[in-house]
Amino acid sequence: MTTNAPRGITRRGLIAGGLGIAATGLLAGCDTVTRSTDVKAINRAVTLPDYVPWAGGPDPVLPKTSALMPSAFRRIPSELVPTDRVPGDGSTLHGSVPTNSPVPPSKGSNPYWQGLDERMGVDLDLTITPNADWGNKFATQVAGDTLGDVFTVFGTFSYLPQFLEAKAANLTEILSGSGVRDYPYLANLPTASWRGTVFSGGIYGVPVPRGPLTTGVLHRRQDLFEQLGVDPSFRDLDEFEALCREVSDPQRNRWALGSVPTNILASMFGVPNQWDEQGGRLTHMYEVDAYQDMLEASRKLLADGLVHPDSVTAYNGKVWFVQGSALMLQDSYSAIPGLLQQAEPGSGFRMTMAPFVGPGGAKPKPWLGDPNNAITALAAGPEERIRMLLGVLNWCASPFGTEAWMYRKFGIEGRDFDFRDGAPVLTKTGNSETALGEFPLQYFTECPLPLFYSGAPEMTDVVYESLSSWLDDGITNPTYGLYSPTNSTKGPAIGTYATSAINDVLLGRAPVSGWKAVVRDWRRRGGDAMRREFEQALEARAGA
C-alpha cells in the first residue's frame, strides 16, 4: 500500500507478462511443465551451501550486535587482500544483466572494463539493459535462446522453476553442503540468500545478496530540519502527523514526505510483512484490520498535503529528497550511496534515519527486506565450464578489503578515481566507466553489502545506529523463497488490481470503508489460491 509497491509490482509485472508468453512457448516440450501445479515437488528442499564467514580481511570498526548486522568500516584499509588467482580460462563469457545506472561505455573504449577482463581471465561480453526495459528484453532473449552463459533472474515470473530446470545448470552437486567451500567468497554469502535459489529440490542459481539493507527506512534531511529549527523525532502517529504539518509548506515547494512511508506506518500499526504465518497457516496483510487502519492514515497524509502531490502518479522521490522538496523519503538503506553521490558538493547535505515506532508504545517490528535483489543462473553445460563460471562469480563476490572489491567499485586510480583525504572518489571518467560505481557485474553476484560510505565515514555510524535499534526484531516475509504457481501466473494481475484499489483510496476516489470488498475480490481472483499453495510449500520445506 505504498507508492513504492506499485513501482515494484509494475516492474515485475512486465517481467512476468513478457516471460510468461515466451516461457510457455520455450518450455512446451519439457516434462517439467506438467508439474507446474505440483507445489510440493516444486518447493522440495535441498541441503543448502555451508555458511563460512570470510575472516581474511580487516576487522569491522563496530561490533556485530546481531547476526544480521553488516560489517562496518569507515575507511579503506591501507593494505588490500590480493586476489588468489585469475579464475577464468580465457574464453568468452556471454552475460545478460540489468542496470539502474547509466549504461557504461562499451569495452573497446572502456579501460575499466578491459581491466575486469584481465582480472577475471575471461572475455566479458555483457548485454546490459536498463531496468525499465529489462522485462521485454529478457523475454526476447528467452524466446531466442540468447541469454548467454550467465544471466540475472528476478523472482516473480511465470513458470520460473520450469524455466530454470529446462535452461539453467543444476548446481546442487557442486555447491550443496561443503561443496561451496571450494569457492570461499560464495561460502561467505548468508544461508537466507541461498534459500532464494532453490527450486524443485535443486540449487539453480547464485544469490545477488543485499541482506537487511534492502529494508525500507525513512531517510531524513537532517541539515534541513536543523535549518528550520525542528526536532524530527516522533513517538507515535499523532506526533508524526504533527511533525509533517510543521515542516510542509507547498508555497515554498516543500513537503514532509516524498511518498507514503508504508514501512514506518506498518510498524506503527503492527501490519505483517506480506503474510503472517501461525502454525503453518497464512494470513495476508490485506486481511488484517490493521491494514485498513494504515490505509486510512496514508490517505490522510495525502489529503492533508503532507506528501509530495506527484508521489502516486509521477514519483521521483530521490530527486525531491536531494533537492529538498521532500524532507523525508522512504527508501532502502542500500539507496544511501546513490543519495550521497547525487548531493551537491559543499551543499551541507546531511541525512539520518527516523527510528521505527511500534503500535501503542510496543517494541517496533519493522518489515525486514528480502535477502536478495535477484539470483543469477548459469546456462547448462559441461561441469568443467560450470566450475570455471562459478570461479568467476566467486571473484565477483570478493568482499570489502580485497583488491578485487576495490577494483570493482572504483576502477583505475588516477583515471577512474582519486584519493581525497584518504577516501577514493570517482572522477567524471570513473562515474562513466564504472556506471557510478555500480557496474552491472554486481548483478552476477556481490558480497554481503558492508556499511561503508566513501568520503562520508560518519554515515557508517549513522546507519549502524539505525540498524542496531531494530534489526533483531525485524519480521520476515514467511513466503520468501517459496513458489506458488498462482502467484507466478496471476500474481502480477492481482497485484495491479490491489494497487489500483489502494491508489483510488489514497487519491480520494474510493472510501476506505470499501476495502473489505476489495479484499474479498482479491481473494476470489487468486489470493486464496496463493495462500493454499504457499501453505503447501511451507509444509514441503518443513518436512524436509
Side-chain angles (χ1 to χ4, degrees):
M1 180 218 68
T2 170
T3 54
N4 290 336
R7 291 193 300 281
I9 290 168
T10 299
R11 175 175 67 82
R12 293 178 178 175
L14 286 172
I15 294 170
L19 186 59
I21 297 170
T24 301
L26 178 66
L27 303 177
C30 298
D31 291 339
T32 54
V33 173
T34 63
R35 296 200 297 105
S36 63
T37 57
D38 189 343
V39 176
K40 289 189 176 181
I42 291 173
N43 288 281
R44 191 169 70 250
V46 66
T47 300
L48 295 172
D50 291 350
Y51 175 50
V52 187
W54 184 64
D59 293 328
V61 296
L62 296 168
K64 287 181 74 75
T65 56
S66 164
L68 293 173
M69 178 65 76
S71 296
F73 306 96
R74 299 190 186 101
R75 291 175 178 81
I76 297 288
S78 57
E79 294 187 14
L80 298 170
V81 177
T83 304
D84 291 337
R85 61 185 178 86
V86 176
D89 60 5
S91 64
T92 299
L93 191 167
H94 298 285
S96 299
V97 289
T99 183
N100 275 316
S101 300
V103 175
S106 60
K107 186 192 301 187
S109 58
N110 190 338
Y112 165 81
W113 192 333
Q114 297 165 19
L116 288 173
D117 279 10
E118 295 172 8
R119 288 162 174 78
M120 294 191 295
V122 294
D123 177 10
L124 184 62
D125 177 23
L126 287 181
T127 298
I128 303 171
T129 305
N131 247 332
D133 303 321
W134 174 254
N136 290 332
K137 180 67 173 181
F138 192 79
T140 300
Q141 289 181 289
V142 170
D145 204 12
T146 58
L147 284 168
D149 301 293
V150 181
F151 45 92
T152 306
V153 182
F154 289 102
T156 306
F157 54 72
S158 302
Y159 304 114
L160 173 59
Q162 294 77 26
F163 165 70
L164 291 172
E165 285 186 72
K167 304 303 295 182
N170 186 336
L171 305 174
T172 310
E173 291 298 319
I174 299 175
L175 295 180
S176 180
S178 62
V180 76
R181 293 172 184 257
D182 291 340
Y183 309 94
Y185 298 150
L186 296 183
N188 184 47
L189 304 184
T191 299
S193 287
W194 285 106
R195 290 194 183 103
T197 70
V198 175
F199 300 92
S200 304
I203 298 170
Y204 281 94
V206 170
V208 182
R210 293 295 183 267
L213 298 187
T214 61
T215 300
V217 67
L218 191 61
H219 301 296
R220 304 181 295 201
R221 282 292 303 272
Q222 189 68 27
D223 56 319
L224 298 184
F225 275 106
E226 291 179 2
Q227 287 179 25
L228 294 171
V230 175
D231 179 358
S233 62
F234 54 88
R235 292 172 295 181
D236 55 31
L237 179 61
D238 289 340
E239 289 189 2
F240 180 62
E241 291 176 341
L243 170 67
C244 291
R245 283 193 292 272
E246 185 173 4
V247 299
S248 292
D249 188 347
Q251 299 302 316
R252 295 179 181 270
N253 193 37
R254 187 177 70 226
W255 290 267
L257 299 162
S259 65
V260 174
T262 304
N263 284 30
I264 289 289
L265 295 177
S267 180
M268 287 182 180
F269 287 98
V271 175
N273 187 351
Q274 314 307 308
W275 295 91
D276 176 55
E277 186 268 327
Q278 299 291 333
R281 295 293 177 259
L282 293 170
T283 303
H284 196 269
M285 64 178 181
Y286 291 163
E287 299 174 290
V288 301
D289 290 341
Y291 190 90
Q292 185 166 316
D293 295 336
M294 184 173 73
L295 196 58
E296 169 59 22
S298 302
R299 182 205 64 77
K300 191 171 185 296
L301 287 171
L302 276 160
D304 290 350
L306 309 179
V307 183
H308 196 287
D310 295 331
S311 63
V312 176
T313 57
Y315 180 80
N316 198 12
K318 288 184 173 68
V319 171
W320 301 333
F321 184 70
V322 172
Q323 291 178 344
S325 296
L327 269 64
M328 293 181 281
L329 174 73
Q330 178 175 294
D331 209 319
S332 65
Y333 286 97
S334 58
I336 293 172
L339 293 169
L340 292 174
Q341 193 173 48
Q342 291 177 48
E344 187 72 26
S347 65
F349 180 94
R350 189 157 56 92
M351 57 187 292
T352 57
M353 289 89 237
F356 289 101
V357 174
K363 181 179 291 187
K365 295 184 177 181
W367 291 353
L368 187 66
D370 288 344
N372 295 335
N373 175 278
I375 67 172
T376 291
L378 280 59
E383 182 176 333
E384 181 181 2
R385 182 158 180 80
I386 296 300
R387 288 186 176 276
M388 185 278 290
L389 294 174
L390 286 172
V392 171
L393 295 185
N394 183 67
W395 185 92
C396 294
S398 49
F400 178 90
T402 63
E403 289 179 352
W405 183 92
M406 182 71 180
Y407 187 83
R408 288 201 317 273
K409 298 300 180 184
F410 297 101
I412 304 166
E413 185 177 0
R415 176 183 176 86
D416 295 318
F417 78 94
D418 294 311
F419 279 104
R420 298 179 192 169
D421 298 324
V425 178
L426 287 170
T427 63
K428 183 177 180 180
T429 298
N431 277 323
S432 173
E433 292 185 349
T434 72
L436 305 178
E438 296 184 343
F439 193 81
L441 192 68
Q442 67 177 346
Y443 289 103
F444 272 10
T445 189
E446 178 65 281
C447 65
L449 297 184
L451 301 186
F452 171 75
Y453 306 93
S454 185
E458 70 283 353
M459 282 305 301
T460 295
D461 296 82
V462 171
V463 177
Y464 177 87
E465 181 180 355
S466 174
L467 288 168
S468 296
S469 70
W470 67 267
L471 199 49
D472 280 335
D473 298 309
I475 53 175
T476 61
N477 175 0
T479 67
Y480 176 76
L482 303 178
Y483 181 79
S484 155
T486 300
N487 185 51
S488 175
T489 57
K490 296 182 179 180
I494 300 170
T496 298
Y497 165 75
T499 298
S500 296
I502 289 165
N503 286 344
D504 283 344
V505 172
L506 295 182
L507 296 172
R509 297 191 296 244
V512 177
S513 59
W515 179 247
K516 291 187 183 300
V518 172
V519 175
R520 287 194 296 271
D521 204 20
W522 173 85
R523 293 178 58 182
R524 178 186 60 80
R525 289 170 181 247
D528 281 342
M530 288 191 292
R531 183 199 329 277
R532 288 192 299 271
E533 291 164 0
F534 278 133
E535 288 175 350
Q536 291 172 21
L538 285 168
E539 184 179 354
R541 291 287 171 93

